[in-house]
Amino acid sequence: MLPFIARRLGLAVLVALTVSFLAYLLVFVSGDPAVALAGEGARAADIEMVRKTYGFDRPIPVQYADWLGKLLRGDLGTSVYFKTEVAPLVADKLKTTMVLGAAALAVALAISVPLGVLAAIWRHGWIDRLCLGVAVLGQALPNFFFALLLIMLFSITWRVLPVSGSGTWQHFVMPALALGYYAAPAFMRLIRAGMIEVLDADYIRTARAKGLPPTTVIFKHALRNAIVPVVALAAVQLGFLLGGSVVVETIFALDGLGYLAYQSISNKDFPVMQVIVLLLSVIYVVLTLAADVANAWLDPRIRVA
């Protein structure tokens, strides 16, 4: 088990370093960052002063090495727009995004587990087709469009939920629904496939032959084994939900990393943009590593793959 973890950890470190370099290159994607920071109509002398102030006159590998060294020392830089240190700014917003990600994951599981079980029990019937239709709709419906539908229904028509902000738990209901419904189909398909395989196993037929109640057979014996892969997938999906929260947080004006990313992009706040991209990517890499280790622990065959 330890050699497997060491190999995966080394691969995770390489991926994290690659992502950090790509995150730094974001500064140069839209052109000369010195021109963007100096603003429209800036004189050549002003642009050159900005370039020297921020170190953009040095070779890119040198700039990246200096930036990475500061990151490893805990120096994330200073926000150009907010005029404050990036580290406490990002840390304060991260809590909101983590709460949203956990709530969206709970919504996804609450939707997918019952649908997956029902689709497996009544496979190839109208219930199975209905559950698959709900899953396909969730996969095809963009989360920003679904978020707007939720606002029209719960905030404008019924007026039962606040449309923006992050002060109370009510503010997280619609964002969690918009994110969670989009992530539910992946869980639902996995649970359905796992349940179909388990329900055809010999020990399930034995349990039924003993006269055990159907609910006991399904939930105590079948679902317990079919849901094991979902535990590993949940870690990966949580990273996906955190990264996909940018649009949803912007629509609902949640004071999290996603909304901060939108503000940073709008105001050309390069230091904050870089840290957010890097942080979300590293979180995703760590969660993927955790999922790989969990899979290897649950299934020893993966360790020698």
Side-chain angles (χ1 to χ4, degrees), residues 210-299:
K210 289 181 178 180
L212 293 178
T215 54
T216 302
V217 174
I218 292 172
F219 294 104
K220 185 176 181 180
H221 296 281
L223 183 59
R224 177 181 294 183
N225 291 281
I227 208 169
V228 169
V230 176
V231 177
L233 178 63
V236 179
Q237 284 293 93
L238 179 58
F240 170 78
L241 292 171
L242 294 176
S245 65
V246 175
V247 174
V248 173
E249 285 187 13
T250 302
I251 292 174
F252 292 99
L254 281 177
D255 196 19
L257 281 183
Y259 190 50
L260 179 62
Y262 168 75
Q263 292 176 303
S264 303
I265 294 171
S266 301
N267 296 286
K268 300 181 178 63
D269 198 343
F270 298 120
V272 177
M273 290 166 51
Q274 290 173 322
V275 171
I276 291 176
V277 171
L278 179 60
L279 177 60
L280 292 177
S281 301
V282 168
I283 290 176
Y284 188 85
V285 169
V286 171
L287 291 174
T288 303
L289 174 63
D292 289 341
V293 173
N295 279 328
W297 180 71
L298 294 170
D299 187 355

Side-chain angles (χ1 to χ4, degrees), residues 100-101 103-112 115 132-147 150 173-189 233 236-248 252:
L100 174 60
L105 182 61
V107 169
L109 292 174
I111 295 173
S112 60
L115 291 180
L132 290 175
V134 173
V136 170
L137 180 63
Q139 195 75 65
L141 193 65
N143 54 16
F144 69 87
F145 181 72
F146 187 47
L150 292 175
V173 174
M174 289 192 293
L177 285 173
L179 268 181
Y181 184 46
Y182 185 76
F187 289 113
M188 186 258 177
R189 289 193 297 268
L233 178 63
V236 179
Q237 284 293 93
L238 179 58
F240 170 78
L241 292 171
L242 294 176
S245 65
V246 175
V247 174
V248 173
F252 292 99

Side-chain angles (χ1 to χ4, degrees), residues 24 27-28 32-37 47-60 63 80 270-271 274:
Y24 185 77
V27 174
F28 305 94
D32 191 343
V35 176
L37 290 173
I47 295 174
E48 188 62 28
M49 183 181 66
V50 170
R51 183 175 288 110
K52 291 182 179 180
T53 301
Y54 288 93
F56 295 136
D57 56 333
R58 299 174 297 171
I60 290 181
Q63 296 181 48
V80 176
F270 298 120
Q274 290 173 322

Side-chain angles (χ1 to χ4, degrees), residues 70-210:
K70 291 180 179 179
L71 280 180
L72 296 176
R73 294 193 301 269
D75 182 9
L76 305 185
T78 303
S79 170
V80 176
Y81 177 72
F82 295 98
K83 307 299 182 183
T84 184
E85 292 185 3
V86 175
L89 179 65
V90 171
D92 182 58
K93 311 297 183 183
L94 179 61
K95 295 180 289 186
T96 300
T97 300
M98 293 299 292
V99 170
L100 174 60
L105 182 61
V107 169
L109 292 174
I111 295 173
S112 60
V113 172
L115 291 180
V117 172
L118 291 173
I121 294 174
W122 286 283
R123 72 189 80 168
H124 308 308
W126 69 269
I127 293 180
D128 185 15
R129 289 193 293 269
L130 177 62
C131 294
L132 290 175
V134 173
V136 170
L137 180 63
Q139 195 75 65
L141 193 65
N143 54 16
F144 69 87
F145 181 72
F146 187 47
L148 295 177
L149 292 179
L150 292 175
I151 291 175
M152 292 178 61
L153 184 62
F154 291 103
S155 296
I156 298 176
T157 304
W158 292 342
R159 299 181 182 274
V160 293
L161 291 174
V163 70
S164 62
S166 55
T168 63
W169 66 267
Q170 290 94 334
H171 291 90
F172 289 88
V173 174
M174 289 192 293
L177 285 173
L179 268 181
Y181 184 46
Y182 185 76
F187 289 113
M188 186 258 177
R189 289 193 297 268
L190 186 62
I191 293 171
R192 178 184 181 274
M195 283 292 295
I196 289 176
E197 181 180 356
V198 171
L199 287 174
D200 290 335
D202 292 337
Y203 72 92
I204 295 296
R205 285 193 289 268
T206 302
R208 286 172 172 165
K210 289 181 178 180

